[in-house]
Amino acid sequence: MPEAKSTTRYRPETRLVHGGTLRSQFGETSEALFLTQGYVYDSAEQCEARFKGEEPGFIYSRYSNPTIEMFERRMIQLEGAEAARSTATGMAAVATAILAPLRAGDHVVASKALFGSCLYVVQDLLPRYGIETTLVDGLDLDQWQRALRPNTKSFFLESPTNPTLDVLDIPAIAEIAHSGGARLIVDNVFATPIWQSPLSLGADVVVYSATKHIDGQGRCLGGIILASEAFVAEHLHNFMRHTGPSMSPFNAWVLLKGLETLAVRVRAQTETAGKVADALAKHPKISRLIYPGRSDHPQAELVKRQMRAGSTLVGFEVKGGKQAAFRCLNALQISRISNNLGDAKSLVTHPPTTTHQRLTPEARAELGISEGFIRFSAGLEHADDLIEDFAQALEKA
Ligand SMILES: *Cc1c(COP(=O)(O)O)cnc(C)c1O
């Protein structure tokens, strides 16, 4: 199969359409879908050479597959990483990126504002295998500094955070991690690769749930870990080969199609999120609104420094707690109630009773997730239709 040309000299939009394409002997325009488990060899000698890693080529689709490789190469070129491994889901990417390099006796520091399943991995799972964890308020740089120990191997954070959209200082936190010989792993789902490039901000590893904006049309699950050649070779290569959290070639093909339109969708959804945020911010039934693209965001200055634009998500608090929030959600005609995000369809979530219901009310309050909190994920509908829909729904709140 001919080697793909690098697209890194081009702008992100061009990389998203052409990056990593491998054409077979048929010269197909669209990326081919290789639904194959295995590969055949010309000779026993060739098979031996592949297994010994002396000759490049595919061996088994748990290890790699041409369609999956195209997805990985496109993401590598978009993100400016050296290497990547894709996974069946975003959680497989997070769990693998965190677990694979660690052993009993190591220590991990993470921001406590995490996606629910990420919090489970850090808080419940790691300690069962003898890996200590410390959770910090990610906004407080002193807490990261004080949590650092001689055996700290990884820092983990997401920014903007879910669902309160706080923005953490990635360059400063990376510097603290590196000063103690630890690596920084960033879950970049909420920012998307379009608005934030953690590797260029000092992070060592970036992970995505490709399920969100990368597919962006609610079709399939997927994840990816991007890092240096050394991290992938040393920590991910054998771990993934032998534990098998691999992506399906079919999902890689769907995600390649998603990448072609990623920049266009994210830009449109961000513009819509900004318009909805501005309309809701002045609404009398809303007590608090958080949008990283507004000048009243608590870390507005940091947003300007480390992100290229706001976000496709908006967080807001309806006056009157859970009952009022539920009345608003139930009255919406366009935005659908769902715990997903980054979809072409606008989605609304009530984090206290869904993604964050596992936390105690005190822990939720500490994270700023009040009983009236709603997370809105902007889709591709017309902004005015969404705003009018919110206006009628809030009347019923
Ligand atoms: C959805 C999500 C994940 C998990 O991804 P899945 O593809 O659902 O496994 C991890 N981190 C963040 C921030 C997410 O939004």
Side-chain angles (χ1 to χ4, degrees), residues 213 216 262 264-274 291 311-313 342-345 377-380:
H213 304 83
L262 179 69
V264 178
R265 285 184 285 105
V266 167
R267 207 169 279 127
Q269 286 166 268
T270 301
E271 197 185 312
T272 298
Y291 182 62
S311 165
T312 64
L313 293 133
D343 200 282
K345 296 175 175 67
S377 167
L380 290 170

Side-chain angles (χ1 to χ4, degrees), residues 88-92 94 114-115 117-118 156 158 160 162 187-190 208-212 221-223 340-341 375:
T89 65
M91 279 322 302
V94 170
L114 292 180
F115 181 75
S117 299
C118 298
F156 177 68
E158 42 178 268
N162 177 32
D187 180 335
N188 204 38
V189 166
F190 274 49
Y208 288 102
S209 163
T211 313
K212 310 296 166 54
L221 300 169
N340 208 358
L341 63 99
R375 185 188 75 192

Side-chain angles (χ1 to χ4, degrees), residues 47-69:
C47 184
E48 181 186 24
R50 291 262 179 99
F51 267 81
K52 286 184 169 164
E54 290 164 355
E55 181 195 290
F58 298 99
I59 299 172
Y60 190 54
S61 287
R62 170 154 36 83
Y63 303 173
S64 59
N65 167 288
T67 312
I68 295 170
E69 190 167 316

Side-chain angles (χ1 to χ4, degrees), residues 159-213:
S159 179
T161 62
N162 177 32
T164 51
L165 307 176
D166 278 321
V167 173
L168 310 191
D169 192 334
I170 295 175
I173 296 165
E175 202 180 307
I176 298 170
H178 298 158
S179 75
R183 68 180 72 84
L184 173 62
I185 305 170
V186 173
D187 180 335
N188 204 38
V189 166
F190 274 49
T192 82
I194 303 303
W195 298 145
Q196 181 169 272
S197 305
L199 298 178
S200 72
L201 296 169
D204 304 282
V205 181
V206 55
V207 291
Y208 288 102
S209 163
T211 313
K212 310 296 166 54
H213 304 83

Side-chain angles (χ1 to χ4, degrees), residues 319-395:
K319 286 181 191 164
K322 177 181 164 184
Q323 300 312 323
F326 272 29
R327 281 195 295 272
C328 170
L329 292 175
N330 291 337
L332 285 166
Q333 301 290 314
I334 301 173
S335 298
R336 304 318 302 154
I337 301 169
S338 171
N339 43 292
N340 208 358
L341 63 99
D343 200 282
K345 296 175 175 67
S346 287
L347 303 174
V348 278
T349 310
H350 184 243
T353 53
T354 58
T355 53
H356 292 70
Q357 51 92 16
R358 235 169 42 85
L359 302 186
T360 61
E362 296 74 39
R364 279 198 294 272
E366 210 182 304
L367 291 172
I369 308 168
S370 62
E371 295 304 302
F373 198 92
I374 291 176
R375 185 188 75 192
F376 167 70
S377 167
L380 290 170
E381 304 91 341
H382 197 290
D384 293 344
D385 285 333
L386 295 168
I387 291 167
E388 285 163 21
D389 194 25
F390 270 113
Q392 65 81 21
L394 281 166
E395 248 167 62

Side-chain angles (χ1 to χ4, degrees), residues 1-4 22-24 28 34 58 66 70:
M1 196 173 262
E3 188 66 16
L22 296 166
R23 290 206 164 86
S24 78
E28 63 281 352
F34 290 90
F58 298 99
M70 283 190 263

